[in-house]
Amino acid sequence: MKNAATHIRVSVGEIRIDSAERNAINKVLDSGRISEGEMVRRFEVEWAKYIGTKYSVALNSGTSALIAGLTALKHSRQYPKARKNAKIITTPITYIATSNAIVLSNFEPVYVDVRKDTFLITPENIKTYLENVDDPEEYSLILPVHLMGYSCDMDGINKIAKEYGLIVFEDSAQAHGTLYKGKKVGSLSSLSDFSFYIAHNIQVGEMGAITTNDYEIIKLVRQIKANGRMCDCPICTRKITGCPKMRGKENDLDPRFTHEIIGYNFKTMEFQAALGLTQMEKIDWIIERRREIVKYLNEGLEKYSSLIQLPKYDENVSYMAYPIVIKSPEKTSRKKITMELERRGIESRPLFGCIPTQQPAYHYLRHKYEGKLPIAEFVGSNGFYIGCHQYLTQEDLDFVVKAFGAIYDELLE
Ligand SMILES: Cc1ncc(COP(=O)(O)O)c(C=O)c1O
């Protein structure tokens, strides 16, 4: 029986620990090593291969990946603009981690409005914003988020970035495997973060990753995630061929305990990476099944499209969830609809809220942005999502369509 304790029938996300997952975890237990080791390295190789970048580094969460990536840019010789307090143009509609990482890394988030249909920031809005600022030199990065699996217009964003000398850092936490013009998101800019939190397409509990083609960035991320230690080799060769950092050195310095930069402990564990590898074997099926579900629900709910905005269907999208926006909140509020769904066992989550005006932690920015991000504020108050994960059955999908029918047929009469 599914989630009997909470009576949830259609969850936002679900993980199944089948025999492949159990075997992978048991192998880690038997290996005698649970902290970062072979499994993490293998996952990094597979993830980079899948996304289409030269490198990937796994970290203990997507938030850590964002912080480590931003910190790496500050230390990089190639990106002098990524200095303390520089401004980063980003989206107001995303999971809070994107903004938190910017602030905690001593940058300043600056928000531009989003598109109504996909909730993404657009090159047009970024351009208009930059054309009207006093000093574009205060800006260092654009941090677009591929929300719900939708890809931002990366050609447009990269073009503006080039024009203004900005770095682009994609947040691909919610878009595992989404294609943009034939390439995977996460491979379309200087670097990208991913999250493998529950409900994401590849899910392992807690873990994140950075992908990049830039050797300097990956080397710095490796250091930053391990308290800034000198070591940056993907595999330690100390016991085999000796440590390359020690060669020719007179002193007895141990690179594992010599710290070149101030970093964090963002290392992950073998269990998560082992689970990640089992999930990767199913990734094509996961993405395809989620797409089928989005298509099916869209067809079933089409008759309510005067009242709710349904997700845009696109064969290139790897859907993280099924987002819905209430079109006429004066007729039915999000609260009412989501409570009705919840009562029937259909879980939902709000579409995050407009960060600078609707998230209490960003209260200090409210005056600056109130009324300036109308679409983000509308989506933030009226958007929510339900699950479209691969374990939903045909009966579950029909149950969802019926539940919306029970709620909305009355309203349409
Ligand atoms: C867009 C986005 N960025 C960053 C994160 C942070 O990832 P994590 O929860 O693994 O720290 C998430 C998590 O869901 C996310 O959705």
Side-chain angles (χ1 to χ4, degrees):
M1 202 197 300
K2 283 196 205 169
N3 295 320
T6 51
H7 306 290
I8 293 296
R9 172 168 181 165
V10 178
S11 58
V12 164
E14 194 170 308
I15 185 157
R16 296 250 168 116
I17 305 291
D18 293 330
S19 59
E21 285 78 10
R22 270 175 217 283
N23 288 342
I25 290 171
N26 284 337
K27 257 193 194 160
V28 172
L29 286 172
D30 293 342
S31 75
R33 180 175 181 128
I34 57 173
S35 59
E36 260 198 46
E38 193 195 333
M39 288 298 158
V40 174
R41 296 292 91 80
R42 275 180 50 199
F43 181 82
E44 290 172 344
V45 169
E46 291 305 316
W47 192 248
K49 215 190 286 171
Y50 179 71
I51 295 302
T53 53
K54 280 192 193 154
Y55 312 105
S56 169
V57 161
L59 302 98
N60 59 1
S61 73
T63 311
S64 308
L66 276 161
I67 295 174
L70 289 168
T71 310
L73 290 173
K74 277 194 180 159
H75 286 280
S76 159
R77 281 189 298 271
Q78 303 169 71
Y79 302 104
K81 272 195 160 185
R83 60 193 184 275
K84 195 169 180 224
N85 299 333
K87 294 178 177 165
I88 298 186
I89 299 174
T90 191
T91 175
I93 288 287
T94 175
Y95 179 58
I96 198 85
T98 316
S99 280
N100 287 354
I102 292 172
V103 174
L104 291 170
S105 306
N106 278 316
F107 289 100
E108 183 184 332
V110 170
Y111 303 95
V112 296
D113 212 355
V114 295
R115 290 168 61 135
K116 213 172 189 172
D117 55 352
T118 53
F119 330 115
L120 305 174
I121 54 171
T122 64
E124 295 74 24
N125 288 356
I126 299 169
K127 194 165 172 58
T128 307
Y129 181 87
L130 282 168
E131 280 169 355
N132 288 292
V133 299
D134 290 337
D135 183 7
E137 283 304 307
E138 290 179 349
Y139 294 76
S140 58
L141 270 99
I142 304 175
L143 208 163
V145 178
H146 305 301
L147 206 78
M148 294 280 119
Y150 293 115
S151 169
C152 293
D153 174 355
M154 289 309 294
D155 280 355
I157 289 176
N158 284 329
K159 186 162 171 254
I160 295 167
K162 200 165 170 203
E163 200 180 313
Y164 285 87
L166 306 175
I167 310 152
V168 181
F169 182 159
E170 291 162 86
D171 184 340
S172 312
Q174 300 192 2
H176 306 170
T178 288
L179 291 171
Y180 174 83
K181 299 191 175 172
K183 288 188 175 164
K184 301 248 170 61
V185 304
S187 70
L188 306 165
S189 62
S190 293
L191 73 164
S192 178
D193 67 284
F194 287 89
S195 163
F196 307 106
Y197 180 64
I198 298 293
H200 292 230
N201 295 20
I202 294 291
Q203 48 175 335
V204 306
E206 302 279 3
M207 192 167 82
I210 285 285
T211 51
T212 181
N213 289 317
D214 186 323
Y215 180 70
E216 189 196 16
I217 289 178
I218 217 67
K219 183 170 132 16
L220 284 164
V221 170
R222 273 188 201 125
Q223 292 187 279
I224 290 159
K225 71 176 245 188
N227 271 306
R229 71 183 177 191
M230 204 176 189
C231 310
D232 55 34
C233 297
I235 293 170
C236 184
T237 55
R238 199 166 40 95
K239 288 189 185 148
I240 314 158
T241 52
C243 173
K245 304 271 181 201
M246 300 279 285
R247 253 169 242 145
K249 297 251 164 55
E250 294 290 315
N251 59 28
D252 66 345
L253 154 157
D254 183 335
R256 293 169 301 169
F257 295 92
T258 306
H259 304 268
E260 289 180 328
I261 45 187
I262 297 174
Y264 303 86
N265 178 5
F266 286 160
K267 298 194 296 302
T268 188
M269 291 182 80
E270 290 286 86
F271 297 115
Q272 283 98 316
L275 273 179
L277 287 163
T278 67
Q279 303 291 295
M280 284 206 64
E281 287 183 14
K282 308 173 193 171
I283 193 159
D284 291 342
W285 167 70
I286 294 172
I287 293 173
E288 194 46 45
R289 180 69 191 132
R290 286 172 179 243
R291 243 183 237 139
E292 278 170 15
I293 290 175
V294 169
K295 202 171 183 188
Y296 188 84
L297 288 179
N298 274 2
E299 282 163 11
L301 298 177
E302 173 58 30
K303 55 178 172 268
Y304 310 112
S305 61
S306 62
L307 293 164
I308 47 176
Q309 175 186 304
L310 301 174
K312 198 168 167 245
Y313 180 76
D314 182 336
E315 289 193 344
N316 292 307
V317 174
S318 167
Y319 290 93
M320 194 196 84
Y322 188 83
I324 292 170
V325 183
I326 290 162
K327 285 185 175 171
S328 311
E330 63 289 353
K331 285 191 191 150
T332 47
S333 67
R334 172 172 72 185
K335 189 172 175 189
K336 181 165 186 239
I337 299 300
T338 53
M339 274 172 64
E340 283 294 324
L341 291 172
E342 201 90 11
R343 203 168 60 77
R344 291 169 164 83
I346 301 168
E347 230 182 3
S348 69
R349 300 278 185 271
L351 259 173
F352 309 115
C354 174
I355 290 175
T357 60
Q358 295 171 341
Q359 287 290 359
Y362 287 80
H363 188 76
Y364 67 100
L365 292 175
R366 189 176 295 170
H367 281 309
K368 190 170 164 195
Y369 285 99
E370 222 148 32
K372 301 217 170 87
L373 304 166
I375 301 177
E377 290 199 319
F378 188 85
V379 170
S381 328
N382 300 299
F384 64 98
Y385 61 90
I386 61 170
C388 67
H389 63 79
Q390 61 275 18
Y391 299 116
L392 294 176
T393 63
Q394 188 56 44
E395 291 72 38
D396 292 333
L397 303 183
D398 292 333
F399 181 80
V400 170
V401 173
K402 250 185 158 166
F404 273 90
I407 299 166
Y408 276 111
D409 281 346
E410 208 179 296
L411 282 166
L412 285 174
E413 272 168 12

